[in-house]
Amino acid sequence: MANILVVDDEHGIRDLLSEILNDEGHSVDLAENATQARAARSAGGYDLVLLDIWMPDTDGVTLLKEWSSSGLLTMPVIMMSGHATIDTAVEATRIGAFSFLEKPITLQKLLKAVESGLARSQARAQVAAVSVPAVPAMDGGNGSLGMLSLPAALREEVGPLSRQGFDLDRPLREARDGFEKAYFEFHLAREGGSMTRVAEKTGLERTHLYRKLRQLGVDLARGKRN
């Protein structure tokens, strides 16, 4: 179950989205304008926010900027609008919006966007839970590297840099397998266990990917459970 905030000035849309998300097992809070949304966000954290762009007091893009500049944009935000321009959608994405839904919103598109957003939220939580030193350092006694970061390309998509601890004072094959296992487990968790998306992200064919994961002893169900 996830905690979701729905921000929309139309009563019917708020009720409809709330009903759908509650049926999916989520806990839903509602806000009819930016003022209420600010109060709700200040009172606690959310796993996901559905935010309407056009509202009477403050528009959704402006509110998104506020959260971003004040450090409150810690959750995926899905923007919604029935008459937003492409430029508006691009600007929202640049600021930090996770995705954009055009009204009227179909059930399939809503659930798919929510599922993807929550998968990103879970990945961020897992990354934040890893407590590591900011700079890799050599352990002067045995020549082992304290921390190795994941590929730099992940920083742009995930946000906080994920780091794993590896003991380099061991045979090359063992050290390499340890890194590769952590790398693929990270992608599985981030993509919600989707082998198709993991294959796309890692640049491997699905058959090769399955074979590699079995070789490394990666639990394929782990990403889906998380």
Side-chain angles (χ1 to χ4, degrees):
M1 181 181 74
N3 294 319
I4 299 176
L5 175 64
V6 175
V7 187
D8 198 296
D9 62 323
E10 296 185 46
H11 178 76
I13 292 180
R14 292 197 307 274
D15 283 353
L16 177 61
L17 295 179
S18 176
E19 181 179 352
I20 292 172
L21 295 173
N22 279 320
D23 287 344
E24 292 295 312
H26 302 303
S27 174
V28 182
D29 289 338
L30 303 177
E32 64 181 70
N33 52 45
T35 300
Q36 292 183 5
R38 291 188 188 98
R41 178 63 187 87
S42 297
Y46 289 95
D47 300 305
L48 182 75
V49 174
L50 291 164
L51 177 60
D52 188 27
I53 290 182
W54 302 111
M55 295 186 293
D57 56 346
T58 302
D59 65 85
V61 174
T62 298
L63 181 59
L64 188 71
K65 288 181 181 178
E66 291 179 11
W67 283 344
S68 179
S69 62
S70 61
L72 293 176
L73 192 58
T74 58
M75 64 288 170
V77 175
I78 299 174
M79 308 300 292
M80 306 180 295
S81 178
H83 46 273
T85 64
I86 294 178
D87 288 342
T88 302
V90 170
E91 181 185 6
T93 303
R94 180 185 59 78
I95 296 169
F98 175 72
S99 64
F100 173 82
L101 288 175
E102 185 176 3
K103 297 178 181 178
I105 302 171
T106 65
L107 178 62
Q108 182 180 8
K109 288 184 178 180
L110 171 66
L111 296 181
K112 183 177 181 180
V114 169
E115 179 184 1
S116 298
L118 291 177
R120 173 65 59 86
S121 183
Q122 291 171 358
R124 286 179 181 271
Q126 291 167 1
V127 169
V130 179
S131 177
V132 296
V135 180
M138 295 299 293
D139 184 347
N142 59 17
S144 64
L145 186 62
M147 292 290 168
L148 288 177
S149 66
L150 285 169
L154 296 179
R155 291 179 221 155
E156 298 180 1
E157 297 187 23
V158 178
L161 181 63
S162 176
R163 299 176 187 268
Q164 301 285 341
F166 296 100
D167 178 11
L168 299 188
D169 188 20
R170 56 178 177 167
L172 174 60
R173 181 179 182 125
E174 293 181 11
R176 184 184 61 206
D177 287 350
F179 170 79
E180 289 185 346
K181 183 176 181 181
Y183 174 80
F184 286 115
E185 286 178 341
F186 174 85
H187 276 288
L188 278 169
R190 184 166 157 238
E191 301 299 339
S194 170
M195 296 296 292
T196 299
R197 291 198 294 269
V198 171
E200 292 175 352
K201 290 291 184 180
T202 60
L204 297 176
E205 295 182 357
R206 285 173 61 94
T207 301
H208 184 192
L209 178 60
Y210 273 112
R211 185 165 57 248
K212 188 68 175 177
L213 296 180
R214 286 196 297 268
Q215 174 190 335
L216 295 171
V218 175
D219 181 1
L220 299 182
R222 181 178 179 182
K224 295 181 179 179
R225 290 199 302 267
N226 291 336

